[in-house]
């Protein structure tokens, strides 16, 4: 069974994005005004840089990280008002619900728990870490059935942490910026930081 020329062009464009992380020219890219209609779906490989790291063990400003974020839309087609995000971290992953604030922009809030030492004991969930995620669609490709997001910019911001141990102590906060592309192959592993 043969493939249509349009499908072959699209496959070539997606492969170009995946291998070189540059804008594809073989398929019809969305105009900036049309990005708000793009469907945000699938795994994205993100390159990140820590922009704030105050009293967070193992993190420093300027540190580079590699992360995989997976987006699952809550609607059948098109740009959805609600997206479920699974966000990889160094020591686990978070599930966050993102809401579309304006076309092409999504925001969500979540909390994860980090280990914290108190006296001679380490509490695995000793610190509550609330955070805000923002995602902006920056490029998209037209498939035969939908306009699909192919590149994003994102931010992670943690303004404060809550100590859940019996010890008194000042906890830090952190932030990072990301950019990345739709991932078609298996995600890489590893990387430290936010």
């Amino acid at each position: 069974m043969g493939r249509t020329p349009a499908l072959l062009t699209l496959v070539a464009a997606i492969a170009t994005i995946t291998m070189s992380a540059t804008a594809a020219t073989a398929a019809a890219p969305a105009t900036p005004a049309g990005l708000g209609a793009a469907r945000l779906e699938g795994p994205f490989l993100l390159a990140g840089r820590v922009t704030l790291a105050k009293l967070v063990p193992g993190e420093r400003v300027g540190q580079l990280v590699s992360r995989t974020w997976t987006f699952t839309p809550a609607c059948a087609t098109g740009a959805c008002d609600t997206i479920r995000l699974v966000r990889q971290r160094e020591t686990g992953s978070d599930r966050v619900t993102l809401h579309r604030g304006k076309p092409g922009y999504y925001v969500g809030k979540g909390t994860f728990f980090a280990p914290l030492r108190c006296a001679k004991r380490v509490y695995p969930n000793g610190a509550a870490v609330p955070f805000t995620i923002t995602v902006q669609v920056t490029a998209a490709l037209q498939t035969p059935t939908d306009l699909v997001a192919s590149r994003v910019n994102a931010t992670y911001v943690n303004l404060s942490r809550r100590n859940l141990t019996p010890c008194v102590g000042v906890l830090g906060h952190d932030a990072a910026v990301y950019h990345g592309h739709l991932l078609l192959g298996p995600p890489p592993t590893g990387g430290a930081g936010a």
Side-chain angles (χ1 to χ4, degrees):
M1 183 165 58
R3 296 186 179 194
T4 66
L7 181 57
L8 291 174
T9 301
L10 176 63
V11 169
I14 291 174
T16 300
I17 289 172
T18 302
M19 292 196 290
S20 65
T22 61
T25 58
T31 63
L35 292 177
R39 182 172 179 80
L40 182 56
E41 182 173 24
F44 280 69
L45 178 61
L46 299 181
R49 180 175 52 84
V50 176
T51 56
L52 175 66
K54 184 172 182 182
L55 301 175
V56 177
E59 281 188 22
R60 60 178 172 72
V61 172
Q63 182 176 357
L64 301 179
V65 298
S66 178
R67 297 285 183 259
T68 301
W69 291 10
T70 302
F71 301 95
T72 304
C75 64
T77 61
C80 299
D81 289 334
T82 303
I83 306 276
R84 290 180 293 280
L85 165 64
V86 176
R87 179 184 84 101
Q88 173 200 11
R89 287 186 287 110
E90 179 184 11
T91 58
S93 61
D94 304 314
R95 297 180 185 279
V96 183
T97 299
L98 303 177
H99 301 281
R100 185 167 61 166
K102 60 181 179 177
Y105 289 84
Y106 297 86
V107 179
K109 294 179 182 290
T111 299
F112 68 86
F113 297 89
L116 189 61
R117 178 176 293 280
C118 172
K120 295 182 179 180
R121 177 179 169 190
V122 174
Y123 290 76
N125 295 323
V129 184
F131 61 89
T132 300
I133 296 288
T134 63
V135 178
Q136 176 189 4
V137 175
T138 59
L141 293 174
Q142 181 66 57
T143 73
T145 57
D146 226 334
L147 182 65
V148 177
S150 59
R151 296 187 66 77
V152 297
N153 288 342
T155 64
Y156 155 88
V157 177
N158 158 243
L159 296 177
S160 65
R161 298 181 178 209
R162 196 171 74 234
N163 186 345
L164 303 177
T165 74
C167 295
V168 175
V170 177
L171 302 184
H173 53 280
D174 62 349
V177 294
Y178 299 88
H179 66 278
H181 60 88
L182 183 63
L183 181 64
L184 299 180
T189 59

